Amino acid sequence: MKTMIDKLKETCDLTDDEFALLLGELSPEDTEYLFAAARDVREREYGKDVYLRGLIEFTNYCKNNCYYCGIRCGNRNAERYRLTEEQILSCCEQGHALGFRTFVLQGGEDPYYTDECMVPLVAEIRKRFPDCAITLSIGERSRESYQALFDAGADRYLLRHETANEQHYAMLHPPELSIRNRKECLFILREIGYQIGAGMMVGAPGQTTEYLIDDLRFLQELRPHMIGIGPFIPHKDTPFRDEPRGSYPLTLRLLAILRLMFPKVLLPATTALGTIHPLGRENGVLAGANVVMPNLSPTNVRGKYLLYDGKICTGDEAAECHSCMERRMEYIGYQVVNSRGDSKIE
């Protein structure tokens, strides 16, 4: 197994059969060897720096009815909200004062936020915070919309593909959604000039090792600047409420594999990882991640943006999230930096 890990570190690729072995059960010794290889590559490219992203969850309305998501339009128990432009800008002001240099505006696919709403908002954030990166995570839109938002000042766009396998995608989503359109959006975003982020759920209902390998191959084709993965966590108001959580050890192994495949990628240790294990984000960084995403949303709405059950940090103030993350990273020998943290991928 160590020979295979060395091969991945050297060539950034393996055969499907070799990936299947790495995604299977590993001995504790082989697992630590994999993590050490990932840390070595991560520190070669990015040192000990950990980049902060200030997450602003500005709407939990969504027109889609994805079967795994707590803010799906079919969830009548969700308490819906939308932040005003003034509230969003206030989150940015507070985050900037704390040292955040990337803002991530994330929401459901809310028809209320047309280009007429979003373009002036992005332009205002760019005007007020010229030293910051603006990341959007607002789903599938037209090429024209993506272009207008880019022209207004957006730098990055996160659009997790969730699963690259067409059959599996159809199992997780209603018929009006397709992986073909999802992928097309990602390639359009890259063509326009965004730094793009994709990624998949780990342990989603029906997922197989073969499907995960499909994800790895799609990411090789896409060459994203960021890859966000996290374990599937069920939500009580979805059809998958009784499905088991995704595997924590497998998620960590995938982070390490992705670091070795894409040495320069920005790789978050996600909130979902921290939700299923109290040291999830720390161990994610020790497996090769180099980004964490504290929440800048107003505390009175954090408990309403619940894609899954049990989400952590819903009651903390932004300053608490920032200082907590600094301490957590320092404890494992890494350092939070006040930087845009741009990807090194062309």
Side-chain angles (χ1 to χ4, degrees):
M1 197 64 72
K2 291 180 180 178
T3 301
M4 194 184 307
I5 294 168
D6 290 339
K7 176 185 174 183
L8 180 57
K9 183 178 179 181
E10 181 178 348
T11 68
C12 304
D13 199 10
L14 295 173
T15 67
D16 286 2
D17 288 343
E18 288 170 329
F19 274 129
L21 287 172
L22 269 189
L23 292 169
E25 293 297 324
L26 297 187
S27 70
E29 183 183 10
D30 286 335
T31 300
E32 182 45 46
Y33 192 82
L34 174 65
F35 293 164
R39 286 195 298 274
D40 184 55
V41 170
R42 173 246 200 274
E43 290 172 19
R44 182 189 75 205
E45 298 294 340
Y46 289 100
K48 296 277 192 177
D49 292 348
V50 177
Y51 302 121
L52 291 182
R53 309 301 194 218
L55 185 61
I56 304 170
E57 297 163 333
F58 67 99
T59 175
N60 72 344
Y61 283 86
C62 190
K63 67 181 183 181
N64 297 330
N65 206 27
C66 304
Y67 303 145
Y68 50 84
C69 183
I71 64 170
R72 60 199 299 264
C73 65
N75 179 10
R76 304 303 178 194
N77 295 323
E79 187 179 351
R80 305 292 179 175
Y81 73 91
R82 293 183 176 111
L83 298 185
T84 65
E85 179 174 329
E86 291 73 23
Q87 287 175 306
I88 294 169
L89 291 169
S90 176
C91 292
C92 294
E93 290 277 4
Q94 185 180 18
H96 192 268
L98 290 170
F100 289 91
R101 292 300 178 266
T102 292
F103 304 124
V104 181
L105 273 61
Q106 178 173 294
E109 292 197 22
D110 185 349
Y112 176 85
Y113 290 97
T114 62
D115 288 349
E116 288 71 27
C117 289
M118 292 302 300
V119 169
L121 172 62
V122 170
E124 185 63 24
I125 295 173
R126 169 56 59 230
K127 176 183 174 183
R128 294 195 191 187
F129 308 101
D131 58 335
C132 294
I134 302 171
T135 302
L136 301 177
S137 181
I138 50 178
E140 297 177 15
R141 300 170 81 95
S142 67
R143 177 187 285 270
E144 292 74 23
S145 176
Y146 289 147
Q147 185 69 60
L149 292 165
F150 183 78
D151 292 343
D155 304 279
R156 306 172 184 155
Y157 205 102
L158 306 182
L159 186 68
R160 291 209 337 184
H161 67 276
E162 304 300 359
T163 174
N165 181 276
E166 189 170 358
Q167 178 182 344
H168 192 215
Y169 196 91
M171 179 184 172
L172 301 176
H173 300 87
E176 61 269 20
L177 299 178
S178 74
I179 186 57
R180 183 175 301 177
N181 190 65
R182 197 80 167 178
K183 289 179 177 179
E184 184 178 354
C185 285
L186 281 162
F187 283 109
I188 287 171
L189 287 161
R190 207 183 203 293
E191 288 171 12
I192 288 171
Y194 284 93
Q195 294 181 35
I196 60 167
M200 60 280 194
M201 282 186 289
V202 181
Q207 188 177 70
T208 65
T209 298
E210 290 71 28
Y211 291 167
L212 281 174
I213 294 171
D214 287 345
D215 289 315
L216 298 179
R217 295 304 182 203
F218 170 64
L219 291 169
Q220 285 179 319
E221 179 187 3
L222 180 65
R223 297 184 299 110
H225 305 83
M226 300 162 280
I227 300 175
I229 69 169
F232 165 75
I233 304 175
H235 189 286
K236 64 183 184 304
D237 295 318
T238 69
F240 294 141
R241 65 180 67 86
D242 297 322
E243 294 292 328
R245 288 178 166 188
S247 165
Y248 175 67
L250 178 57
T251 306
L252 292 178
R253 284 207 306 281
L254 267 166
L255 283 172
I257 289 167
L258 289 166
R259 174 56 66 201
L260 295 178
M261 291 178 68
F262 306 97
K264 298 180 185 295
V265 81
L266 294 168
L267 196 59
T270 60
T271 301
L273 195 60
T275 297
I276 66 169
H277 192 286
L279 296 177
R281 287 168 295 181
E282 290 92 326
N283 287 331
V285 170
L286 291 171
N290 65 331
V291 172
V292 289
M293 300 177 70
N295 205 321
L296 293 178
S297 306
T299 54
N300 66 326
V301 302
R302 289 193 197 176
K304 301 173 186 177
Y305 197 89
L306 295 178
L307 309 183
Y308 49 82
D309 287 336
K311 182 180 175 185
I312 57 172
C313 301
T314 56
D316 293 344
E317 296 287 348
E320 293 174 319
C321 288
H322 187 284
S323 59
C324 173
M325 198 56 60
E326 281 189 322
R327 292 194 302 271
R328 285 174 174 269
M329 294 302 105
E330 287 171 3
Y331 182 75
I332 59 171
Y334 288 80
Q335 60 189 10
V336 165
V337 293
N338 295 339
S339 164
R340 282 173 48 113
D342 288 302
S343 171
K344 296 184 178 182
I345 293 176
E346 295 290 321

